C-alpha cells in the first residue's frame, strides 16, 4: 500500500489525510497537539465559552493512518525527516504546513493548554483596556474590531491601515461601503491611507497606555494594540531540490494539478501555494479535494488528474455574531449581516469541523 506523508495538519492537511485514509498508509506530521480552528480564534479571544471550541483532538481524525506530533525538519522528494531524527520514506508527499500569522488570529505555541492560557491572559489584558488599536484593515483587523465591539460595546476601537479603503482584493465598492457603514454604526474609528511612524513599544496584547503618531501627523492614544497583518509561509524545511519551487516570499510554485513545480509525487496546498487567491481555510479545503483526488488516481494508476480552478472572489466577514458582509460565488450582489450571521457569524463553522474530526455529539 502506498505511503502518503502530509506535512501539516491544518485545514488542508487534515482534510487530505482524512480523504486518503481508506486507500493509503497516511502519516500526518503536525507539531501542535490539537487542531486549531483559526476561523473562530477571534471569537475564542473575546468569549471564554468559545475558547475550548477552537481546539480539536486529532485522535479520531483517522481510522487507519497515524498522526505524529513533531515537526518536519527536511522534506525530500521521497522522504520526510522529523525533529526526532526519524526519516520516513514516502510514495507521495503533501506539503500543507500553512503559514504563521500574529496571535490571536493564529496560535504561536504547539501545546493547546498553553495556547488556552495565553488566550485567557490576553483576554484579561483586553478587558482592562478602554482603547484598542488594531493595525490592519484586512479581514482579521475588521473581524477583530467587530468581535471586540460585540463583547464590549463601550470600548473605543481604532483600525489603521496604509491602504485607502477597507479590504484589499476584488470586492465591490458597494460591499466596502456597507462594511464602513456597519463599522461606523458600531463606533469603530477607521484611519485609512496612513500608518504609524513606529510600532508601539509595548508588546501586542498587553495592556499599557501609549501614544502613537501616524505618518499624517495624528496622535493616537490607546491602552492595548494588536498586529493584524503579516502572513509568512512555513516552507523553510525543503531540501535543496524541492526548494527550487520556492519564491522569494516563501510561497511555492505549483502546477494546475497542485504538484510542486518540477515534481511528480510532491504536492502543495493551502497558504504555501503561490496561487493568486485569498489564503483562507476554505481555499485550503478546496486544494485538499483536488490533491486527494489526484493522489488517489495515481495510486490507482489512472492518468486522469484534475486541475485546480481558483474560486472567484469569496469572503465571509463577520463583524461579531450578528453583523458583517459576504461575497458569495455566483452572486453579483453581496450578502449583508443577516445572511453572514446565518452562514458563518453565529457558529463560525464549529459544527462542520467538529464533524470532520469525528467529535460531534
Amino acid at each position: 500500500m502506498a505511503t502518503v506523508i502530509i506535512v501539516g495538519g491544518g485545514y488542508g492537511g487534515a482534510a487530505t489525510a482524512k480523504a486518503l485514509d481508506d486507500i493509503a498508509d497516511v502519516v500526518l506530521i503536525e507539531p501542535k497537539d490539537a487542531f486549531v480552528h483559526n476561523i473562530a480564534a477571534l471569537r475564542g479571544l473575546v468569549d471564554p465559552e468559545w475558547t475550548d471550541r477552537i481546539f480539536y483532538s486529532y485522535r479520531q481524525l483517522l481510522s487507519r493512518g497515524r498522526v505524529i506530533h513533531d515537526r518536519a525538519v527536511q522534506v525530500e522528494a521521497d522522504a520526510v525527516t522529523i525533529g526526532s531524527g526519524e526519516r520516513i520514506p514516502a510514495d507521495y508527499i503533501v506539503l500543507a504546513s500553512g503559514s504563521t500569522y500574529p496571535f490571536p488570529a493564529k496560535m504561536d505555541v504547539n501545546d493547546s493548554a498553553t495556547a488556552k492560557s495565553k488566550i485567557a491572559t490576553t483576554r484579561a489584558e483586553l478587558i482592562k483596556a478602554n482603547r484598542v488599536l488594531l493595525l490592519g484593515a484586512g479581514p482579521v483587523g475588521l473581524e477583530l474590531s467587530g468581535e471586540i465591539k460585540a463583547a464590549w460595546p463601550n470600548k473605543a476601537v481604532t483600525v489603521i491601515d496604509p491602504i485607502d479603503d477597507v479590504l484589499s482584493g476584488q470586492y465591490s465598492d458597494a460591499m466596502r461601503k456597507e462594511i464602513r457603514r456597519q463599522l461606523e454604526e458600531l463606533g469603530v474609528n477607521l484611519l485609512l491611507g496612513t500608518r504609524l511612524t513606529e510600532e508601539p513599544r509595548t508588546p501586542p496584547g498587553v495592556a499599557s497606555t501609549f501614544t502613537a503618531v501616524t505618518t499624517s501627523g495624528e496622535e493616537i492614544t490607546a491602552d492595548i494594540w494588536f498586529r493584524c497583518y503579516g502572513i509568512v509561509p512555513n516552507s523553510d524545511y525543503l531540501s535543496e531540490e524541492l526548494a527550487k519551487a520556492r519564491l522569494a516570499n516563501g510561497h511555492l510554485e505549483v502546477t494546475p494539478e497542485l504538484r510542486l513545480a518540477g515534481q511528480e509525487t510532491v504536492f502543495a496546498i493551502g497558504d504555501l501555494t503561490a496561487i493568486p487567491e485569498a489564503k483562507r481555510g476554505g481555499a485550503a479545503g478546496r486544494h485538499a479535494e483536488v490533491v486527494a483526488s489526484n493522489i488517489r488516481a495515481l495510486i490507482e494508476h489512472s492518468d486522469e488528474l484534475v486541475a485546480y480552478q481558483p474560486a472567484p472572489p469569496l469572503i465571509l466577514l463577520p463583524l461579531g455574531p450578528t453583523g458583517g458582509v459576504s461575497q458569495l460565488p455566483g452572486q453579483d450582489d453581496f450578502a449583508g449581516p443577516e445572511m453572514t450571521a446565518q452562514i458563518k457569524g453565529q457558529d463560525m463553522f464549529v459544527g462542520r469541523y467538529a464533524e470532520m474530526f469525528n467529535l460531534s455529539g
Side-chain angles (χ1 to χ4, degrees):
M1 186 173 282
T3 297
V4 179
I5 297 181
I6 298 159
V7 179
Y11 290 104
T16 306
K18 191 177 181 75
L20 293 172
D21 194 32
D22 67 318
I23 197 173
D25 284 330
V26 171
V27 181
L28 180 61
I29 298 171
E30 168 54 54
K32 288 183 169 61
D33 68 353
F35 173 86
V36 184
H37 183 36
N38 295 316
I39 289 171
L42 302 179
R43 181 74 49 82
L45 171 67
V46 304
D47 186 344
E49 292 187 4
W50 276 78
T51 304
D52 285 339
R53 298 182 196 176
I54 67 175
F55 295 92
Y56 304 156
S57 170
Y58 286 100
R59 284 193 295 270
Q60 294 173 235
L61 175 67
L62 304 176
S63 57
R64 296 181 60 260
R66 60 186 174 127
V67 181
I68 299 176
H69 292 296
D70 203 336
R71 62 189 182 91
V73 295
Q74 186 174 56
V75 176
E76 304 163 75
D78 60 352
V80 176
T81 302
I82 58 178
S84 67
E86 181 183 2
R87 185 177 184 271
I88 309 170
D91 298 293
Y92 303 95
I93 294 173
V94 181
L95 308 176
S97 50
S99 61
T100 58
Y101 194 92
F103 177 86
K106 285 192 174 182
M107 301 303 113
D108 51 6
V109 292
N110 292 333
D111 177 70
S112 56
T114 303
K116 291 176 186 178
S117 176
K118 184 169 182 177
I119 292 170
T121 298
T122 305
R123 184 188 305 117
E125 294 289 295
L126 188 50
I127 288 170
K128 291 189 292 185
N130 293 319
R131 296 159 296 185
V132 183
L133 175 62
L134 305 179
L135 304 186
V140 171
L142 299 179
E143 187 172 328
L144 182 53
S145 73
E147 293 293 342
I148 292 170
K149 277 294 190 176
W152 304 286
N154 294 328
K155 289 191 186 299
V157 177
T158 297
V159 181
I160 184 171
D161 198 295
I163 65 171
D164 293 328
D165 206 345
V166 294
L167 288 185
S168 59
Q170 300 172 334
Y171 305 110
S172 70
D173 291 339
M175 192 181 81
R176 288 191 173 92
K177 183 178 180 181
E178 172 62 14
I179 293 172
R180 293 195 305 271
R181 185 197 68 77
Q182 290 188 43
L183 292 172
E184 184 177 359
E185 194 173 81
L186 290 171
V188 173
N189 179 34
L190 282 174
L191 290 178
L192 301 175
T194 189
R195 69 178 76 221
L196 299 186
T197 55
E198 61 178 3
E199 284 191 348
R201 295 184 180 180
T202 57
V206 176
S208 179
T209 302
F210 61 88
T211 298
V213 180
T214 70
T215 51
S216 53
E218 187 168 356
E219 291 189 350
I220 305 168
T221 299
D223 306 308
I224 196 170
W225 71 283
F226 293 94
R227 186 182 293 110
C228 302
Y229 65 90
I231 184 171
V232 179
N234 295 322
S235 60
D236 59 355
Y237 51 74
L238 299 178
S239 67
E240 184 177 350
E241 178 191 0
L242 300 189
K244 294 174 183 176
R246 185 167 56 210
L247 303 178
N249 61 8
H251 292 289
L252 304 178
E253 287 188 286
V254 292
T255 69
E257 300 78 27
L258 299 183
R259 285 166 160 150
L260 192 69
Q263 300 296 319
E264 294 293 316
T265 59
V266 181
F267 295 78
I269 64 176
D271 290 3
L272 281 179
T273 68
I275 299 170
E277 62 183 353
K279 305 300 182 186
R280 301 196 185 104
R286 293 190 296 274
H287 294 181
E289 290 179 12
V290 170
V291 166
S293 174
N294 286 341
I295 291 177
R296 185 177 291 272
L298 291 170
I299 290 173
E300 295 174 342
H301 305 290
S302 169
D303 294 328
E304 296 183 11
L305 303 190
V306 296
Y308 175 68
Q309 300 293 333
L314 161 69
I315 191 169
L316 296 164
L317 179 62
L319 295 174
T322 60
V325 297
S326 300
Q327 186 163 319
L328 304 171
Q331 296 190 7
D332 295 331
D333 202 4
F334 64 87
E338 289 184 7
M339 182 67 75
T340 302
Q342 182 180 338
I343 297 173
K344 180 182 178 183
Q346 291 174 356
D347 82 333
M348 306 300 284
F349 303 138
V350 162
R352 176 192 301 183
Y353 286 100
E355 183 177 350
M356 181 174 125
F357 282 82
N358 296 314
L359 300 173
S360 52

